[in-house]
Amino acid sequence: MEFKKIGVLTSGGDAPGMNAVIRAVTRVANAAGVETYGIFEGYQGLMDGNLVRLTGSDVSNIISKGGTMLYTARANEFKEPSGMEKALKTCKEHGIDGIIAIGGDGTFRGATDLSAHGIPTIGLTGTIDNDITATDYTVGFDTAMNTVLECVDRLRDTCESHARCSVVEVMGRDAGYIALQAGISVGAIGIVIKEFPFDEDAMMKRIIKSKKEGRRSFVVIVSEGVKDEEGKPFGEGLSKRIEEITNVETRFVRLAHIIRGGAPTLRDRLAASMMGSAAVKLLLEGKSNLVVCERNAEIVTYEINFALTLDKMYKNKLKQGDLDRFASSEIHEMEILAEVRRKEMLDMYNSAMSLM
Ligand code: F6P
């Protein structure tokens, strides 16, 4: 198939580096003589026909900008047959031969549906959470963690002055990667993530002991995904208990969307540029229904359904029948990849504990 026009969209939560992907896609496609169309607000724009031609100069100077120049949205109608019908109509009317979709797992579900309806689509990971099991890295993760570092370093200054503890909640609805890696890097005395049980008693003892030894400031990092028995954010209650048990004045801080904004770091600009270029090349080679991933510092691809199912396997969310369409060799590969990820996470968590 000869490609004349391709579309690019960003969907789901935004992530620093998405603009760098849009730039790479536009530049690489244009260099190959293929027109690029920027689709606004993800699948919503695809359904509404809200798109614009992008030239190389339209994407000048966006590599350093946070957010996404194409905006983003969560479009529920796209899951319905009526939404798909509208999207296909837009592709037909504008002559869009293929799409590159940047986002997380929701974005990939949309991408695989489009591929199944005859629009070749390649997915590219853009989410600060780094929680796509098929890839070692998702665009936006490094910037988000560096923002956590900057914020917590500031909190540390004021904690040191006042002899306080800060309990800092960071994003990561389904995964604790941000909390774990940032926690290690800010020298946290406690890290709470949903992947592993938290020994609260041991952390209280560490705080009391360090306080006796003369330490004045303490930081605890809690992942947003961890809730208490009542389903409330775990960090808020923990903060009160720290004050009661250790007698260290404690403040709870929620960084929330602050860590989703800002200029992408070098790591994110580079990953975005490499993955964006790879995505266009794959599309032009006639590939479809793939997600561009990074494994062991190399760009690799997986079939989107494989990546989504692997993710469910890693997160223990597999439902009856989810594995039926896969060959036993593929299931075996998923099991190995999920196990590798679990081990990496456990090793890092154990290192974090020994550093406290
Ligand atoms: O999926 C990325 C993420 O950053 C999660 O960590 C967080 O829970 C969620 O987005 C927040 O989404 P929203 O922008 O819709 O509040």
Side-chain angles (χ1 to χ4, degrees), residues 12-14 74 127-129 131 170-175 178 224 257 259-260:
D14 64 351
R74 301 188 203 269
T127 164
I128 62 164
D129 293 350
D131 65 340
V170 296
M171 271 193 173
R173 191 174 31 211
D174 296 318
I178 300 175
E224 165 195 28
H257 293 79
I259 70 168
R260 283 237 302 253

Side-chain angles (χ1 to χ4, degrees), residues 158-209:
T158 165
C159 282
E160 188 69 21
S161 309
H162 289 263
R164 280 179 180 158
C165 173
S166 278
V167 174
V168 185
E169 184 194 272
V170 296
M171 271 193 173
R173 191 174 31 211
D174 296 318
Y177 300 107
I178 300 175
L180 179 54
Q181 297 198 19
I184 292 172
S185 310
V186 298
I189 196 147
I191 296 174
V192 194
I193 57 176
K194 66 194 297 188
E195 286 85 343
F196 302 111
F198 171 56
D199 189 342
E200 188 168 319
D201 192 44
M203 187 196 72
M204 297 297 181
K205 287 189 177 121
R206 277 197 300 276
I207 297 178
I208 293 167
K209 182 169 174 278

Side-chain angles (χ1 to χ4, degrees), residues 51-350:
L51 67 175
V52 68
R53 167 105 195 263
L54 293 176
T55 63
S57 59
D58 290 326
V59 293
S60 285
N61 297 332
I62 63 165
I63 195 164
S64 58
K65 302 268 189 304
T68 157
M69 68 167 280
L70 294 176
Y71 315 130
T72 183
R74 301 188 203 269
N76 285 329
E77 198 198 339
F78 189 62
K79 294 178 196 149
E80 309 295 328
S82 64
M84 180 55 71
E85 226 172 85
K86 289 180 187 170
L88 295 175
K89 190 165 166 264
T90 302
C91 292
K92 200 162 176 227
E93 271 175 20
H94 294 267
I96 302 289
D97 309 308
I99 287 183
I100 292 173
I102 310 156
D105 50 1
T107 309
F108 301 146
R109 269 188 289 277
T112 198
D113 287 351
L114 267 176
S115 301
H117 283 84
I119 303 294
T121 305
I122 302 286
L124 203 149
T125 62
T127 164
I128 62 164
D129 293 350
N130 202 31
D131 65 340
I132 310 285
T133 313
T135 185
D136 291 342
Y137 193 75
T138 62
V139 170
F141 182 52
D142 188 61
T143 309
M145 283 197 301
N146 277 293
T147 308
V148 174
L149 253 55
E150 192 192 328
C151 294
V152 174
D153 287 349
R154 285 165 194 254
L155 287 167
R156 176 75 80 177
D157 291 346
T158 165
C159 282
E160 188 69 21
S161 309
H162 289 263
R164 280 179 180 158
C165 173
S166 278
V167 174
V168 185
E169 184 194 272
V170 296
M171 271 193 173
R173 191 174 31 211
D174 296 318
Y177 300 107
I178 300 175
L180 179 54
Q181 297 198 19
I184 292 172
S185 310
V186 298
I189 196 147
I191 296 174
V192 194
I193 57 176
K194 66 194 297 188
E195 286 85 343
F196 302 111
F198 171 56
D199 189 342
E200 188 168 319
D201 192 44
M203 187 196 72
M204 297 297 181
K205 287 189 177 121
R206 277 197 300 276
I207 297 178
I208 293 167
K209 182 169 174 278
S210 317
K211 191 181 159 196
K212 273 198 195 123
E213 288 164 1
R215 190 152 158 190
R216 289 176 61 82
S217 65
F218 304 91
V219 169
V220 179
I221 305 285
V222 185
S223 183
E224 165 195 28
V226 189
K227 307 287 179 209
D228 64 16
E229 303 87 53
E230 291 168 33
K232 295 199 185 118
F234 187 81
E236 290 180 23
L238 180 65
S239 158
K240 292 191 187 105
R241 292 193 295 279
I242 292 175
E243 192 157 305
E244 280 158 20
I245 294 168
T246 68
N247 226 3
V248 175
E249 210 182 336
T250 303
R251 298 283 189 266
F252 174 72
V253 179
R254 175 170 291 132
L255 295 182
H257 293 79
I258 284 177
I259 70 168
R260 283 237 302 253
T265 58
L266 180 142
R267 173 85 168 98
D268 279 325
R269 295 180 201 195
L270 210 51
S273 302
M274 297 301 126
M275 288 180 171
S277 311
V280 176
K281 286 178 192 150
L282 287 163
L283 208 51
L284 302 190
E285 278 165 17
K287 307 268 170 55
S288 172
N289 202 21
L290 297 176
V291 55
V292 179
C293 297
E294 186 187 294
R295 285 206 87 83
N296 305 320
E298 267 182 40
I299 291 193
V300 296
T301 57
Y302 291 99
E303 198 232 342
I304 294 182
N305 281 316
F306 178 98
L308 289 173
T309 309
L310 162 64
D311 215 44
K312 284 194 196 165
M313 182 183 274
Y314 174 74
K315 292 170 186 162
N316 294 321
K317 285 184 178 172
L318 278 180
K319 290 202 204 85
Q320 181 107 31
D322 277 347
L323 294 174
D324 288 357
R325 54 166 300 220
F326 296 98
S328 57
S329 57
E330 291 175 301
I331 298 172
H332 183 59
E333 192 185 351
M334 279 181 212
E335 283 164 350
I336 292 174
L337 291 169
E339 202 38 52
V340 166
R341 181 56 76 99
R342 282 194 198 102
K343 187 173 177 312
E344 279 168 6
M345 199 63 178
L346 182 62
D347 287 350
M348 193 176 283
Y349 187 76
N350 285 337

Side-chain angles (χ1 to χ4, degrees), residues 15-26:
M18 280 184 161
N19 279 325
V21 181
I22 297 165
R23 174 182 178 272
V25 167
T26 306

